[in-house]
Structures are given as structure tokens and as C-alpha cells.
Amino acid sequence: MATVLICRRFPRLSRATTFSTTAQRKGESGSSEREQKKEENPETANTRTESAATIQLLNPLGYRVLYNPSAYAKSRAASQQHAARSGGQALGDALTSPGAAQVQHTFGTASSQALPPFRNALPKPKANPLLEQSVPARLSAAQTKEEAEKGKTETHDSKEDPRVFQKGRPEYRSLSYDKSEPIETLPLEEGDSILHSVATHKGSQSPGTIADYFRKLSRLPAERHAALLSEPAFTTLCHRAARNVGLFSTSDLIDILKACVRLVVPPTHPLLNACESEFCRRAWDMKLDQLLLVADCWRCLERGVPSYLSILFSYANMHWKDLALPQFVQLVYIIGEGRRSPTDLTQKVESMIVKHLDSFTLEEVGAICLGLFKSLGGISDHVMRRIADRVSLQMEDMSTYALVNVLKMLRYTRMDHLPLMKELGKVIPPRIPTINIQGIMHITLTCSSLHYFDEGIMAAVAMSLPSKVMYCRSKDAAKFLWSFGCLDYEPPNEEEFYSSLIEQMHRKLHEFRKFPEHLLTGLLGLAFVKRFPEELIDFALRDEFVRKTRGSKYELKKDLFTLSRSVEIECPSYRGSRLPPQLSQEMTEMVLNFAEQEIYVRPEIVEATSLLESMLGGPEYVKNHMILPHTRTSDVEVHLAMDGRPIPFNLKDLSADKKLKDVGVSLTDELMAQLIKGRCNSQSPVEVENEGRTRGQERGEEARTRTGDRAELSGGALADATLQVEPKSGHCLESPTSLALNRPRGVKVAIQVSNRNHFCYCSKRLLGLHCLKRRQLQQLGYVVVELPFWEWFPLLKRTRLEKLSYLHYKVFDPALLNRAG
């Protein structure tokens, strides 16, 4: 009997602030009424409390990273149907996000792991049974639950699903090991007879006899294999084979290796050590089919053989022109499973893909993409676009696994292919309920990584996920939260969607000790949509966890910084752990140094700043800086009095110039009329600007007379939204102890010079990070003014007067002052 999950909504601004309840779900359940549609995106996880429900933490075993390519498969039967339809097509698996594959050590304006915002002030923390327990107690409890869930995991075969492409052509039978190939079972009595013969004959068997014994024993019933491996006679047989390994013919040695695969011999077995050495020794005398078959057997045995693979790749490089299509695909599969990309083969792989692209089955296309993705092998935009062109035309005939593999490579190459993504929006939503959780995660992550928003895909994912959330690894849950937050999407079942994912984050708390990047990814995704689960945030900002992040292969300090500063701004009632001040200052300085070199100097920002200085009366009226360093984008700040007059505030930059330069242009009504209707015949352009310059100088002098000698003011992260004093270092934003300035009451304007990376692909929909930034600026008392790229960039090629007219319209919009009031 299904149990309905009842969710109690928090106020929007602090939905997930105190996730104090845990829910024990006895069945897939629960739908909560959707609140009225919000403007913020819901893509990050919500920490909703749940009435009358207790969540039991899974007592987790150590986090085991399993390669589960088939997790994206629809089902075994479905994949076989697809294979039949398109000549053998497979399903696909993957890694995490481009951010996980490529560590970024610099601060970009848009990163895959962005900064978080708060939905509301956090309510007073409530006791949370999950987090009140000691960590060891929680881990123990989680292990018990996780063991209980073992039998409920989604069915897939992580070894076999990536190999479905091998069923599409008969040629693969000589290149790969097929476990499904029917064999005649050996009677138990005959197996006992062989073992008895081994025990009684002390080393008298010939190499051919030993190989024949292996072939026969591997045909014993599968349930007998484990016992066979522990038999003393079988151990003796293995010793004899290892001792005589150089005497076997190549075909006999391959048969022994295949027998080891069938018997599931441990990858570290001494016999395999001997076999690997011997295959390396005789590799140059073998045929390519044999080399590929042996490599495939090593993959089935899950044994790493880097030396053998190096020889195989060198052999293939020398015989490249002789490679047949199946040999090439099998080679790329082996390259991927070996997790290494031979640099000398890169160009040849590309040329071979182009040569055979129309001849590949769709499953082979997926296998090639997966091989390139796993090996982090580069591929040119031209070749990737050719692959995407073909897939977009035949997507309906492609298995989900193979399609997901193509999406992984699309994501890795950052390829924007609109026809493929549009077709994906038609094909994938109906399939979502039948796809395993990792496949769904990679589809969602591809959309967010490419900044491509398709409501049909995202809604289908959101509706399907709560019933499958128990199968989410920590990485899966984090990537779902990140993807929804990044695209700023509020699903129809947002309460159930976010509650289920936040519950799963609590259950997987033990995994974040080994993979801290996943916790930060999920929390940032939640912050984008103004959801702040207080207990998880407290855990992430503890000194112990911060120390854990230093051991990660990813640069996580910028994410900690973003999370911490967002909590300060959006959750003033938060009383949990905080990021150490020295780390915050270090990150602030790092971000601002990066901005000075990479952001402030961008032409569209430099032009806007220069023109605003001319229009308002000088550099003291404008400041190009980062009001919120943790958002990693710049702002052009302007202060206006309530009557619309500009107020000088950037006095530090002004004093740096020993001599004030009169560069102001006062846009009077007369001048605006000239801009709109055309310049008066009696005045030249120089006279117009000189007139504005003089008036701007007079206005600037008047303002400076009013304000006298002042310290520089720079808008900063103050919860009370007062003007902020910038410290001497120019990097750390601090709250002033006092503000001995008697400035006129006015409006702080934060002008956003945006670019395409701030918006979803081919749309005017802001990404989650930039929604967060604008929300936080408004919370600090700023009025946000947009110079969207689709308006500002075309103007950069127009006349100066047109640009000034546009900026005047934006800055002196009467509605701006009304919003501030």
C-alpha cells in the first residue's frame, strides 16, 4: 500500500533552511500541491520539512564507485529491439560534468559550479535527528539501510551494456569475447575426472592437454565456478600453466585466457600475471584480431594492462591503413576502457570517423563517443558536428544508451548543436520513465552544461525522479540539483522533487567525505533557486569538511566562498558554521585579481564605463568593480539622488588622478532633442560635447563642494544595504564601523553588462548564477539595470551619440527611481 508523502511548505525564501525532518518512505509516493509559479528557478534541491514523516538515514557502506554504463539503458529487451532495428545499437554511460573532467583553477564569469542565493531568511533551526547523531552512528545506521536496499537497485550490467554494439556485426566474434555465446555444459563427473587427473599426474601433461583442461573446466555450470577456483587441483593446474606459458601456441594461450574470463578468475591471479607477460612478449607476432580479442578479455577480467595496451596502440598505429571498420570501433572501445588516449592516434581516429561515419551503426556511433569520452580524447568541432548531424536525423532509431554516450561527448566538447537538442526534446521525454537514474542524470547534465533549456525534458525528469531517487548516488543527486538550479527551472512538482533530493543528500552524507565536490555542487544548485538546507550547509562549512576539500582533485575554494557569502546575504538568521575569514579574504583577493586581468578589460565593459563617465561628469560618478566578488562577474556602479541627479562616490579613483579631467557630457533636454532629431545647424559636434563637458564640470564641482574630502565608497555585501567603505587593500569588502559622510539620500544602481554566457542558449532566460546575483544585489539595496548583450553589443558598432542616448535612457529611466522608492 503506497504511503503518501505530505510536504509542508516553507516560506519561499528559506525553503530548505532547516531540513529537520527525515522521511521513511515505504513506497513511491507523494505529491505535494504545487505552489504558485515563481520567478526563481527551482533546479536545486529543496529542503522541505515533511509532516508526520521520519526519514531514516541509510547506513552506508564505504562509497564504491562502480562503472555503470548500462544505467542509462531503457531495458535489456528494449536495447535488443533497437539493435535489431538499426543493425546493432547500444546504450551509454558516463562520468559527471565537464567540470568534473576538467579542473578549473581560474575564475571564469560562468562556471559549472556557481554561486548560491537564499530564498529567505532562515527560520530558527529545528532539531534534526539526522544531524544530531554522531557521524559514526549515522554511518552505521546508513550501512544497515543501504544493505537492505541492495536488492532494490536498478537492474543493469555495467560490463555488458557498453558492448551491445558488438552484436551488430558478425565480425566482432573474432575481436571480442561474447559471454552470451551458448556452450555445451560439462558434466560434473567429467570435471571431477579432470581434477583427479591433474592431481595424480605430476607435471606430465603437455601444453595442449593443459589448454584442453582449461577449455573443458570453463564449461562447468556457473554455480560450480567459485568452488572450482578453491580446488587444490585447479590451483595446481594454474601453476603448471604459468610455468609453461611460453610453450603454448597463441591460440591455446588465448583459449586459456577466455577460460579465465568464463570462470571469473580474480584479476590479480598469478596465472594472469604470467599470461600478460607472455602476450606482451609475443604481441608483435600476433594478428590484429588476436590482439584486440586479448585486450577485450583483459577488459572482461577487469585487469589493468597498460604495457599491453601500449603495444596494441603502437601496432595499430603501424597498421592503420589496414584497419577494417569493426576493428577500428573495437579499438576505440578498448582505448576508452583503458582510460587513456594515445596522442599519436588522435588525428587518425578523426579521419577514420569521417571516413566511415555513414557506415557505422548507431550503436557503433555511441560506442565511439563513449570511448573518446572515457579516454578524454580530443575531437575537433568539425568531426563532432558531423556526428551530431547524423544523430539528429536518426535519433528515434537510436537506443538511449548510445544516445547518452553521444550527449556525453557533446557536453565534453561544449558543442552547441541546435538540431540535435531540438530533436532530443521530442525523443527523450517519453523515454524518461524507462531510463535508469544515471542515464537521466547525464541527459539533464548535458542540458545544463550546454545552457540549453527544454521544459519538456526538465519536466519529464522532475516527474520521474522522486520515484527513483533512492537509486541516486551522491553525484547523481548533486548533478540533478545543479542542473535544475543552473537552468533556473521550477518544475510542476517542485516540492516533491526538491524534498526527495534533499532527503537523498542526507542519506548520502557519508559519501561526501570522500567526494566533497558533490555536496558543494548540490548546495550551489539549491542556492541558485533560493533553497538553503541549513544542516547540510553547516556540515559543508565546518572546518573538518573544508579541510577535506583541500584533498579533492577539483578546485573547491571558490564554491565554498560562493556558498558562504550567499548565506551571509540571504540568511541573516543562520547560526551554523562559517567559512574562516582568512579563506574568504584570500578568495576575494583572488577573484578581484582575476577580474582586473580578465573581466574589467572586456571591450563591452570598458566602453560602457567610459561613456557613463562622460555622460555623468567624470570617473568619480562611476565605478567598474565587483560588488559581489563571489558571483565572479563585474558591475558598473552609479549613485543617483532621488531627483535623478548623479552623486559622486568613487573618490578613491579620483584622488589617484592628481589632476581631475573634465570629461563629462551633460545630457540636457536640449541635447537629447538633438540626439533624437538631429544636431542643430548652428552647433558642431565639438560644441555640443564641450557644452555638456562644461555643465558636467560645474555639476561635478558642486557635488564635490557638498561632499568635501571623502573616503571612497563602493557598494558591497552589507545586509543593511548601506554604502560600504572599501578597505585599503582594495580587495576585501568589509562592513564600516561608521560612515562619517553626510551624503544625500539616493539610489545605488548596479549596471549589468551581460554577455551570452549569462543566459540559456538562444534565449533571454538568465542562468541560475546570474539570477542569484541580481537577487542578492536587490537584497543589498541596489537597483539592477541590465545592458543585455542583444541590445548593447550591436550598439558597440554604432555612433557615440547613439550609445550615449541608450545609456541615458537606461540610467535615467523614471521607473528606476520608482523601484528604489
Side-chain angles (χ1 to χ4, degrees), residues 8-9 44 49 135 173 199 294 345 354 377 681 748:
R8 186 179 60 210
R9 292 184 64 89
T44 53
T49 52
V135 171
R173 294 174 187 170
V294 170
L345 291 181
V354 173
N681 294 331
K748 295 184 298 181

Side-chain angles (χ1 to χ4, degrees), residues 315-433:
Y315 187 103
N317 192 33
M318 290 183 63
H319 298 82
W320 193 259
K321 293 182 179 179
D322 301 327
L323 257 64
L325 186 151
Q327 291 174 326
F328 168 72
V329 178
Q330 182 69 14
L331 177 65
V332 175
Y333 166 74
I334 294 299
I335 289 173
E337 297 308 303
R339 300 302 199 276
R340 51 171 299 190
S341 178
T343 54
D344 53 345
L345 291 181
T346 302
Q347 291 296 328
K348 294 180 178 179
V349 167
E350 284 203 5
S351 63
M352 192 69 83
I353 291 174
V354 173
K355 176 182 177 181
H356 294 294
L357 184 57
D358 293 334
S359 302
F360 292 135
T361 66
L362 292 175
E363 293 306 317
E364 287 172 332
V365 172
I368 289 169
C369 287
L370 182 60
L372 293 173
F373 180 81
K374 285 185 178 181
S375 64
L376 300 181
I379 187 173
S380 67
D381 287 353
H382 168 70
V383 176
M384 190 65 234
R385 194 167 295 280
R386 289 282 304 274
I387 292 174
D389 287 341
R390 183 181 173 194
V391 170
S392 64
L393 296 175
Q394 297 179 278
M395 191 178 295
E396 286 205 18
D397 297 326
M398 198 170 197
S399 72
T400 304
Y401 187 79
L403 177 56
V404 167
N405 290 337
V406 174
L407 295 180
K408 290 175 189 175
M409 202 59 198
L410 201 71
R411 187 176 83 222
Y412 178 72
T413 57
R414 309 293 296 176
M415 172 66 68
D416 56 333
H417 195 280
L418 196 56
L420 186 146
M421 299 306 292
K422 286 185 175 180
E423 189 67 17
L424 190 73
K426 300 175 185 177
V427 171
I428 278 296
R431 293 191 191 183
I432 290 292

Side-chain angles (χ1 to χ4, degrees), residues 235-367:
T235 302
T236 300
L237 182 65
C238 291
H239 286 163
R240 290 177 186 170
R243 199 165 50 242
N244 298 286
V245 69
L247 301 177
F248 293 107
S249 67
T250 298
S251 59
D252 282 347
L253 193 59
I254 291 175
D255 284 346
I256 291 174
L257 191 62
K258 291 169 71 175
C260 290
V261 174
R262 193 174 290 113
L263 293 171
V264 196
V265 172
T268 56
H269 196 283
L271 174 59
L272 298 183
N273 295 338
C275 288
E276 180 185 353
S277 298
E278 183 60 23
F279 278 121
C280 288
R281 187 188 67 80
R282 65 174 73 180
W284 290 102
D285 298 323
M286 295 166 60
K287 297 178 180 179
L288 182 57
D289 281 11
Q290 293 175 320
L291 290 171
L292 290 170
L293 173 59
V294 170
D296 200 61
C297 289
W298 291 131
R299 166 57 187 151
C300 294
L301 288 164
E302 296 186 319
R303 179 182 172 94
V305 287
S307 297
Y308 179 84
L309 292 182
S310 293
I311 297 172
L312 168 62
F313 299 153
S314 297
Y315 187 103
N317 192 33
M318 290 183 63
H319 298 82
W320 193 259
K321 293 182 179 179
D322 301 327
L323 257 64
L325 186 151
Q327 291 174 326
F328 168 72
V329 178
Q330 182 69 14
L331 177 65
V332 175
Y333 166 74
I334 294 299
I335 289 173
E337 297 308 303
R339 300 302 199 276
R340 51 171 299 190
S341 178
T343 54
D344 53 345
L345 291 181
T346 302
Q347 291 296 328
K348 294 180 178 179
V349 167
E350 284 203 5
S351 63
M352 192 69 83
I353 291 174
V354 173
K355 176 182 177 181
H356 294 294
L357 184 57
D358 293 334
S359 302
F360 292 135
T361 66
L362 292 175
E363 293 306 317
E364 287 172 332
V365 172

Side-chain angles (χ1 to χ4, degrees), residues 21-37:
T21 61
T22 61
Q24 184 179 17
R25 299 167 63 107
K26 295 184 179 177
E28 302 171 9
S29 63
S31 60
S32 52
E33 289 185 5
R34 192 187 175 216
E35 207 172 298
Q36 68 258 22
K37 185 160 184 172

Side-chain angles (χ1 to χ4, degrees), residues 54-85:
T54 33
I55 298 168
Q56 274 185 330
L57 272 183
L58 298 181
N59 278 336
L61 297 170
Y63 183 51
R64 294 167 295 175
V65 181
L66 301 179
Y67 169 61
N68 297 334
S70 55
Y72 317 132
K74 297 167 68 174
S75 70
R76 214 62 177 145
S79 69
Q80 290 173 359
Q81 288 175 5
H82 281 297
R85 285 166 58 191

Side-chain angles (χ1 to χ4, degrees), residues 674-706:
Q674 295 173 27
L675 292 175
I676 296 171
K677 300 179 182 178
R679 169 170 48 87
C680 293
N681 294 331
S682 59
Q683 282 185 301
S684 68
V686 175
E687 291 172 333
V688 173
E689 185 158 345
N690 285 342
E691 178 184 341
R693 212 177 280 246
T694 302
R695 297 189 184 184
Q697 179 182 357
E698 292 173 355
R699 184 175 55 195
E701 291 296 338
E702 179 186 353
R704 283 192 291 277
T705 300
R706 287 197 309 268

